[in-house]
Amino acid sequence: MSEEQHLNFIEEIVEGDLAAGKYGSIVTRFPPEPNGYLHIGHAKSICLNFGLAQKYGGKTNLRFDDTNPVTEETEYVESIKNDVQWLGFNWAEELYASNYFDQIHGFAVRLIEMDLAYVDDSSSEEIATQKGTPTQPGTPNVYRSRTVTENLQLFEDMRLGKYADGEKVLRAKIDLASNNMHMRDPIIYRIKHAHHHRTGNKWCIYPMYDFAHGQSDAIENITHSVCTLEFIPHRELYNWFIEKLSIFPSKQYEFARLNMTYTVMSKRKLLQLVQENHVTGWDDPRMSTISGMRRRGYPAAAIREFCDRIGIAKRDNLIDISLLEFCVREDLNKTAVRRMVVFDPLKVIITNYTGEGEILHSENNPEDQNGGTREVPFSKEIFVERDDFMEEPSKKYFRLAPGQMVRLKSAYIIKCDDFVKDANGNVTELHCSYIPESKSGSDTSGIHVKGTLHWVSTAHAIPAEVRLYDRLFNVEDVAGAEGDFKDYINTDSLTVVPHAYAEPALLHDSIGVGFQFLRKGYFCADKDSTPTKLVFNRTVGLKDTWAKEVKKGA
Ligand code: ATP
Ligand code: MG
């Protein structure tokens, strides 16, 4: 980034801690629950956690927070690892909260031994009622005064599978009158007879998130445990467990989660979009997932730049999706190779052209001096865009019209002499003549034209399908909108151009390359693309509305 670098509030804390000699070096972690694919909000957290360790010479663990056996799957684990690496980060260790089930179980036993936890037979409804309300303290039940011996036996029986799901829970014994509802004897273990993706059927009791997260942090000697704002009320509990168990004093810090306009970011909602076929999968290019953005052609560097620009906030806000698009466009303008693709072809016959097999050269990227050129075959018959011709042109129409001249990109100037119509009055063919001395690079014609068109030689054209994407939702603040988020799905978010024609250079380019199709926008080959049928995704349009706004504001 070119702007001046000032520290975000978490960096200030880290620098303070390092200056005070609190830690030799820092350890952070990125802790996804493997219950879905990562989205752009996770990218924010990844860039923050890995970025801190990079900046201050520490390390970052990838820790799967897999304490809920029911929703977690190995497919998600693999996709998460893939996405983190693709974003450009390497973890120090790949770890799983489930690795610590033995230790966490031991922590629970220790709390019981200190008379700081008890087995409760109440139903979840009873527990909720007994907890009281924010203005009314909770009331202890008979189970709260069970003896240590009795609790140890019951907890062991829970572990041995003697009870059904929900029959008993283990609760921390803290303070039923606390102002913080999370401190009113929170549940720390529950019974769940379920298969776990890593521990199989070894356990039928599982720790609650609050009893696993901080402890996992402590086990890994995490110095700065960064999470999102909704965990602020959990911090007191996080610290209480660490203190009572006398384990490594990890500290929790909270920042605002990323929310973005015209999109949803909760995994639960994204899963719904997939399951109900509103999209083609987690990696649908319209999704806010990392895999969707990758498939759409967003460069990892652009996503990192976006995360950098939005900064680390302490309050929830809604980021304009066009800032992300701006970052994507900026990156691609520098890196994307220029190609020509005609979306809606109109045939042009160059009547006075007698050449055969002429190969022209066109630069790959005017922004990149070392980008080189590519070969572009020219011939007597070419395709141009249907809307690059008007029978009766308006005043400032500088493209093809009877008697008007244009330049064909990297080729010649042509003049429209005539056109052919079918029985329905549709123009089917243009007849043009070319100016032989006007060849790009060696133009001696002295003719100046205002319009430059992209084109493709018909004999060399490769059929292509082009997929144009629009926003998946038609309101800015989808999460904040009334009613069901699915009511706001934009039903026109995908437009397929079925019969486009691509220049032959595109046949040899592979997936993962960014293209600028002249006058059309930025594109990438989709994974559905084959040598006989190319398929492209529009990554982002050429127009740059955000940049104008930024300049205005500056
Ligand atoms: P979701 O609500 O989408 O399921 P989550 O918070 O439950 O998200 P986790 O897998 O638990 O997802 O999150 C892993 C890490 O990513 C956590 O530290 C979480 O705080 C962070 N994270 C999740 N969503 C966002 C977001 N929108 N912005 C910033 N960080 C996020
Ligand atoms: Mg979660």
Side-chain angles (χ1 to χ4, degrees):
M1 259 183 96
S2 53
E3 287 148 47
E4 93 270 26
Q5 296 282 333
H6 51 103
L7 300 181
N8 66 52
F9 77 95
I10 296 178
E11 289 171 335
E12 276 172 12
I13 292 166
V14 169
E15 292 202 358
D17 288 348
L18 289 173
K22 217 163 150 188
Y23 312 105
S25 67
I26 65 161
V27 186
T28 61
R29 86 285 173 266
F30 172 63
E33 186 182 343
N35 61 350
Y37 281 59
L38 297 183
H39 51 63
I40 182 78
H42 293 112
K44 171 86 215 163
S45 171
I46 292 168
C47 290
L48 174 59
N49 280 296
F50 283 88
L52 284 171
Q54 278 177 352
K55 185 163 179 185
Y56 297 105
K59 64 170 196 166
T60 305
N61 290 337
L62 173 61
R63 178 189 332 128
F64 291 99
D65 235 322
D66 58 350
T67 51
N68 183 1
V70 184
T71 54
E72 292 152 7
E73 284 177 34
T74 310
E75 176 200 342
Y76 297 138
V77 169
E78 292 310 313
S79 77
I80 289 169
K81 284 160 62 175
N82 190 27
D83 287 349
V84 174
Q85 278 172 327
W86 177 77
L87 275 174
F89 298 104
N90 298 308
W91 50 87
E93 289 181 79
E94 174 188 336
L95 299 164
Y96 295 80
S98 58
N99 293 353
Y100 312 135
F101 280 169
D102 282 310
Q103 274 161 288
I104 294 171
H105 174 259
F107 291 147
V109 171
R110 251 158 70 193
L111 284 186
I112 297 173
E113 286 167 348
M114 292 185 280
D115 199 19
L116 292 175
Y118 61 99
V119 173
D120 193 329
D121 301 2
S122 313
S123 67
S124 49
E125 294 77 24
E126 284 165 340
I127 289 177
T129 331
Q130 290 160 6
K131 261 196 173 178
T133 65
T135 50
Q136 231 155 22
T139 41
N141 60 29
V142 292
Y143 309 111
R144 200 174 198 263
S145 45
R146 274 176 166 154
T147 63
V148 169
T149 322
E150 193 184 357
N151 281 317
L152 284 173
Q153 186 58 52
L154 288 171
F155 187 51
E156 178 63 1
D157 289 344
M158 281 168 65
R159 186 183 72 81
L160 291 172
K162 294 195 182 165
Y163 304 109
D165 288 8
E167 231 180 298
K168 288 184 167 37
V169 291
L170 183 69
R171 296 175 71 181
K173 195 191 271 190
I174 307 179
D175 179 5
L176 284 170
S178 172
N179 289 331
N180 182 346
M181 297 298 285
H182 292 273
M183 297 298 279
R184 295 190 184 179
D185 290 11
I187 297 172
I188 59 177
Y189 258 94
R190 68 212 151 140
I191 301 169
K192 215 162 214 176
H193 291 269
H195 183 91
H196 186 278
H197 78 125
R198 285 178 64 87
T199 57
N201 295 322
K202 177 173 172 190
W203 297 93
C204 63
I205 55 171
Y206 290 94
M208 300 299 286
Y209 173 87
D210 279 327
F211 198 64
H213 195 88
Q215 282 81 332
S216 303
D217 284 344
I219 290 169
E220 293 174 19
N221 288 0
I222 302 298
T223 55
H224 299 82
S225 176
V226 180
C227 61
T228 41
L229 293 181
E230 69 273 21
F231 288 97
I232 290 177
H234 298 246
R235 195 199 310 143
E236 192 178 356
L237 185 55
Y238 181 103
N239 291 336
W240 190 87
F241 288 134
I242 283 180
E243 188 203 316
K244 296 299 174 200
L245 295 165
S246 310
I247 50 182
F248 183 85
S250 301
K251 287 264 181 275
Q252 174 183 305
Y253 303 96
E254 308 88 7
F255 71 102
R257 62 172 49 226
L258 165 64
N259 301 303
M260 213 164 58
T261 56
Y262 299 104
T263 193
V264 294
M265 248 184 269
S266 118
K267 280 181 281 188
R268 187 178 53 79
K269 289 180 183 162
L270 294 172
L271 178 65
Q272 248 178 300
L273 292 175
V274 173
Q275 284 178 336
E276 295 170 20
N277 297 316
H278 297 290
V279 294
T280 56
W282 285 98
D283 69 347
D284 187 300
R286 293 165 293 181
M287 291 279 270
S288 63
T289 52
I290 309 285
S291 50
M293 292 183 178
R294 176 169 60 237
R295 182 170 174 190
R296 181 152 171 179
Y298 284 20
I303 295 176
R304 292 196 302 268
E305 171 67 17
F306 168 73
C307 291
D308 211 20
R309 277 180 184 253
I310 57 181
I312 307 298
K314 277 191 201 179
R315 271 178 203 219
D316 280 318
N317 54 8
L318 188 62
I319 302 287
D320 193 327
I321 196 172
S322 56
L323 175 60
L324 176 58
E325 290 165 354
F326 169 81
C327 294
V328 169
R329 204 179 280 115
E330 268 221 322
D331 186 282
L332 288 175
N333 185 40
K334 285 182 249 143
T335 58
V337 293
R338 275 49 172 175
R339 294 290 182 261
M340 296 195 281
V341 178
V342 173
F343 285 18
D344 185 10
L346 174 61
K347 195 192 278 183
V348 174
I349 314 266
I350 302 171
T351 48
N352 62 337
Y353 186 78
T354 51
E356 244 176 78
E358 185 177 4
I359 301 290
L360 304 174
H361 295 270
S362 189
E363 63 190 337
N364 280 324
N365 186 347
E367 303 287 321
D368 178 3
Q369 295 203 323
N370 305 316
T373 60
R374 68 190 191 278
E375 298 188 338
V376 185
F378 187 71
S379 62
K380 194 178 175 70
E381 237 185 73
I382 62 169
F383 289 130
V384 297
E385 240 19 282
R386 180 162 292 280
D387 68 6
D388 280 339
F389 171 76
M390 274 181 96
E391 191 179 337
E392 288 163 26
S394 48
K395 209 162 170 225
K396 288 205 166 154
Y397 189 82
F398 300 119
R399 295 174 263 168
L400 288 167
Q404 267 182 217
M405 287 203 251
V406 295
R407 171 168 295 283
L408 297 174
K409 174 72 184 169
S410 298
Y412 299 93
I413 291 173
I414 59 171
K415 180 178 167 206
C416 181
D417 302 316
D418 199 4
F419 57 92
V420 179
K421 276 186 177 177
D422 66 13
N424 301 321
N426 298 316
V427 176
T428 55
E429 206 172 281
L430 302 184
H431 293 170
C432 297
S433 46
Y434 87 117
I435 318 291
E437 314 80 68
S438 67
K439 188 169 173 173
S440 288
S442 55
D443 181 0
T444 56
S445 69
I447 301 171
H448 293 285
V449 293
K450 283 207 167 124
T452 300
L453 305 188
H454 62 280
W455 55 275
V456 177
S457 159
T458 56
H460 305 88
I462 315 287
E465 174 183 311
V466 183
R467 298 173 184 168
L468 309 175
Y469 303 104
D470 195 356
R471 299 183 168 161
L472 191 50
F473 293 91
N474 49 30
V475 287
E476 275 203 342
D477 184 3
V478 185
E482 208 175 298
D484 186 356
F485 78 101
K486 283 174 291 172
D487 296 343
Y488 301 98
I489 291 179
N490 173 11
T491 48
D492 292 324
S493 59
L494 170 65
T495 307
V496 176
V497 178
H499 302 297
Y501 284 106
E503 67 165 282
L506 278 163
L507 198 52
H508 311 293
D509 291 313
S510 57
I511 289 183
V513 180
F515 303 112
Q516 188 193 101
F517 292 173
L518 258 91
R519 303 169 66 215
K520 292 291 185 189
Y522 294 99
F523 294 80
C524 70
D526 187 75
K527 66 177 186 185
D528 293 342
S529 198
T530 68
T532 47
K533 172 78 182 289
L534 301 177
V535 180
F536 295 104
N537 297 317
R538 181 168 67 193
T539 307
V540 68
L542 288 175
K543 223 172 88 201
D544 202 344
T545 48
W546 180 266
K548 277 188 217 125
E549 279 168 40
V550 169
K551 276 201 201 104
K552 255 192 278 164

